[in-house]
Structures are given as C-alpha cells and as structure tokens.
Amino acid sequence: MIPIVGTFLSILSTLTGQLGPNYDPLFYDVMIYIFGTIMFTVFLLGVISFWLRVHGWAYKDNRERWVDELDRHFEREGIGLIPDNGKYW
C-alpha cells in the first residue's frame, strides 16, 4: 500500500510542478492533444454505435423493433410528409 501511495504522490507532484512560472508548455500541449483525441474517438464511436443501433448492418437485417414501429406510425399518421395543398406556403 505504501508504494502505491508513494507512486501517486510522485505523479501528483510531477503534475503540480507544471503549475507556476516553471511549467513546460509542451506538457500542456501534449495533454490537450491526447485528451482531445480521446474525446473525439469516444464521440465518433458513439455516433457509429447509434447509427448501427438504428439502421443495423444492412437496411432490414438488424433494425430494432421500435424503429420499424416508429416508421409504421409515421407512415400511418402521415407525419413528416410535406403538405401539398398550399396551406403552409
């Protein structure tokens, strides 16, 4: 347990040593680039997983049931159709 605490304090002192007048600008640049890359990767994986969840690998193979039910409801109620009677423009 003592080595773990010592390692943690060593890392903490290294990070806090970067604050103040004697910091290394490259340290912050690299940390920001790494953090930004990780955040972009997480965002991209989220978008891809949502797309696959809604649409499936192919058009009708793995679509979820709620997407099909929602499509049937929209088609039945006429939701999302552009009105052609001239009332709205």
Side-chain angles (χ1 to χ4, degrees), residues 71-83:
D71 286 342
R72 283 195 300 272
H73 171 71
F74 283 167
E75 290 172 5
R76 184 173 56 244
E77 298 293 327
I79 298 173
L81 300 177
I82 298 174

Side-chain angles (χ1 to χ4, degrees), residues 1-62:
M1 183 67 180
I2 300 290
I4 294 173
V5 173
T7 304
F8 178 72
L9 290 177
S10 172
I11 293 172
L12 190 61
S13 66
T14 302
L15 292 176
T16 57
Q18 296 296 323
L19 301 174
N22 57 350
Y23 71 95
D24 182 14
L26 186 60
F27 177 81
Y28 287 116
D29 292 342
V30 171
M31 289 299 116
I32 288 173
Y33 293 152
I34 290 173
F35 181 73
T37 304
I38 291 171
M39 290 289 96
F40 180 72
T41 304
V42 168
F43 169 76
L44 200 60
L45 286 175
V47 168
I48 291 170
S49 64
F50 180 76
W51 177 267
L52 288 177
R53 178 177 177 170
V54 171
H55 297 284
W57 289 105
Y59 179 68
K60 279 291 192 181
D61 287 344
N62 296 326

Side-chain angles (χ1 to χ4, degrees), residues 78 80-89:
L81 300 177
I82 298 174
D84 56 355
N85 58 4
K87 178 180 177 183
Y88 297 101
W89 46 69

